[in-house]
Amino acid sequence: MKKFILLLVSLMFLSTFTACFKDNDGEYKPKEKISRIYKDYGYGDGKELKEIWNWDKKQLQRIDHYYDGDLSWSEEFTYNKKGQIERVDCYENREYTEYTYDGRKLSKATYYNNGSIEEEYTFKHDGNKITEIEILYFYKKGSRDNSRLRKEGYNPLRILLPENNYQTLVKVIENNPASRGGMETVKLEWEKKNVSKIEVTSGSYRYTVELKYDDKLNPFKNLFGLYVDENIDEGSSLSKNNVIEEHSAETYNGETYTEITKYSYSYDGKFPTVQRYTYSYEIYDWNEEEYYTETRTVFTYYEYE
């Protein structure tokens, strides 16, 4: 009887331990596996294929990215013995990122371009949550702009802010002095299992974003991709749920710019199948010699296996 009770207690402890530490950082094993992602940019051209995901049973092997209907490049994933993503390669552009873990926690990420280290990330934790990231940039003059993937307008924020105004993203990168070589600090605040606030600082430069979420499952949680600075430090792979509202503020040279973006979804069960957001932008009319505002709605469609 004592042996039975001891065994039962042991099993209960093991079950509790497993429940508390269910996922290792970088162990991407979603309950629903994405097969394809499409975009409709609101120009009347309909859906456009953007990504095809390739799986080996439950493990993601490769994401093929399409641009203007043609295969442009691929992210290929390599895993360690624990099933954590340890390297992501883009062979077409000679870019790759290596992820290093301290047990179950992500400790470092290093991005290489054309054989040279260009970005290095050190992660700090409070318990099981990443709360601070120190980033070192080692860019040679013009090397960041030489990335073919960035020139094509690939939006690495697709996981957190799918197809958010890409020019805003470019402006943030260009304004941040650290992105031209130096150090940057990212601090994360959490509300339960979601990143609620992100603060990026580098000297006098400051960028903050506050996030609100739905109660459905984020199909990209724990997916670590090729570009770390525009991916992980934006909370994209860390949160359990999907962003429905984003309040951002950027301060540079004494001026602050703010923006609010709202998202809505259609679901199949607990996972999103369609994500949509509406944005406005100004166009100059040369005939009338004045600006006018145009509004478009962007749709992202997720297909699952």
Side-chain angles (χ1 to χ4, degrees):
M1 185 66 176
K2 287 183 178 180
K3 289 183 179 180
F4 175 77
I5 294 175
L6 182 61
L7 176 61
L8 181 61
V9 171
S10 300
L11 289 174
M12 290 173 63
F13 174 80
L14 179 61
S15 175
T16 302
F17 183 86
T18 304
C20 292
F21 302 99
K22 186 175 182 180
D23 294 326
N24 295 323
D25 286 348
E27 187 177 3
Y28 182 58
K29 49 180 184 180
K31 293 182 179 179
E32 296 289 342
K33 299 183 295 183
I34 291 176
S35 60
R36 295 191 175 207
I37 296 178
Y38 295 85
K39 297 286 185 183
D40 182 346
Y41 295 99
Y43 293 104
D45 299 326
K47 292 199 303 185
E48 175 185 342
L49 176 64
K50 300 302 294 183
E51 300 176 19
I52 294 180
W53 292 37
N54 302 273
W55 299 80
D56 180 8
K57 297 179 180 178
K58 294 184 178 181
Q59 200 168 74
L60 179 64
Q61 299 297 307
R62 189 179 74 252
I63 300 177
D64 295 325
H65 296 263
Y66 288 78
Y67 183 73
D68 282 345
D70 297 320
L71 177 61
S72 175
W73 61 285
S74 299
E75 285 177 281
E76 301 200 25
F77 298 84
T78 303
Y79 299 81
N80 62 20
K81 293 181 180 180
K82 294 182 179 180
Q84 297 163 299
I85 296 171
E86 65 177 3
R87 177 163 168 158
V88 184
D89 282 272
C90 172
Y91 295 107
E92 297 91 336
N93 208 44
R94 299 186 66 187
E95 295 180 78
Y96 67 93
T97 295
E98 292 180 337
Y99 293 95
T100 304
Y101 302 89
D102 181 7
R104 63 182 302 274
K105 297 179 181 180
L106 178 64
S107 60
K108 184 175 288 187
T110 310
Y111 165 75
Y112 298 81
N113 185 2
N114 202 26
S116 299
I117 296 178
E118 293 199 347
E119 302 166 5
E120 185 176 85
Y121 304 76
T122 301
F123 298 85
K124 297 181 180 180
H125 295 74
D126 181 3
N128 298 320
K129 296 175 179 178
I130 296 172
T131 55
E132 187 172 322
I133 308 169
E134 291 185 354
I135 309 173
L136 292 175
Y137 294 96
F138 306 96
Y139 283 105
K140 299 176 182 178
K141 186 176 181 180
S143 64
R144 186 181 185 101
D145 298 328
N146 287 335
S147 170
R148 176 171 60 85
L149 308 185
R150 299 182 194 273
K151 286 182 179 179
E152 288 183 354
Y154 164 62
N155 177 8
L157 287 174
R158 71 190 189 283
I159 301 175
L160 174 63
L161 313 172
E163 291 306 325
N164 192 13
N165 187 347
Y166 189 74
Q167 296 306 314
T168 300
L169 169 63
V170 172
K171 179 170 66 70
V172 168
I173 293 173
E174 291 177 346
N175 285 347
N176 185 354
S179 68
R180 297 185 290 275
M183 180 176 174
E184 178 178 280
T185 301
V186 180
K187 293 185 178 181
L188 307 178
E189 296 181 10
W190 292 75
E191 184 175 340
K192 296 182 180 179
K193 296 185 178 181
N194 294 313
V195 176
S196 59
K197 183 178 180 180
I198 303 162
E199 182 177 1
V200 182
T201 56
S202 179
S204 61
Y205 174 84
R206 187 168 182 262
Y207 176 75
T208 61
V209 57
E210 296 183 4
L211 304 164
K212 296 181 180 179
Y213 296 83
D214 63 9
D215 59 354
K216 305 297 183 181
L217 296 179
N218 170 16
F220 303 97
K221 184 181 184 301
N222 247 356
L223 175 61
F224 296 166
L226 181 64
Y227 293 134
V228 190
D229 64 334
E230 299 160 357
N231 196 324
I232 292 181
D233 67 359
E234 292 289 345
S236 56
S237 301
L238 305 179
S239 297
K240 177 182 178 180
N241 305 116
N242 305 287
V243 173
I244 58 173
E245 193 167 320
E246 171 212 353
H247 294 244
S248 62
E250 181 191 17
T251 301
Y252 183 65
N253 284 342
E255 295 187 17
T256 299
Y257 305 89
T258 61
E259 186 174 5
I260 298 176
T261 307
K262 296 183 179 181
Y263 303 87
S264 62
Y265 299 85
S266 298
Y267 304 94
D268 183 5
K270 295 184 178 181
F271 286 88
T273 55
V274 182
Q275 188 252 32
R276 61 189 70 82
Y277 78 95
T278 301
Y279 69 99
S280 300
Y281 57 97
E282 290 187 337
I283 297 178
Y284 187 74
D285 188 328
W286 291 97
N287 293 324
E288 299 294 332
E289 296 184 345
E290 62 181 11
Y291 286 95
Y292 68 94
T293 301
E294 187 161 316
T295 301
R296 295 192 185 279
T297 300
V298 176
F299 296 83
T300 303
Y301 299 89
Y302 306 102
E303 292 185 358
Y304 299 87
E305 289 193 345

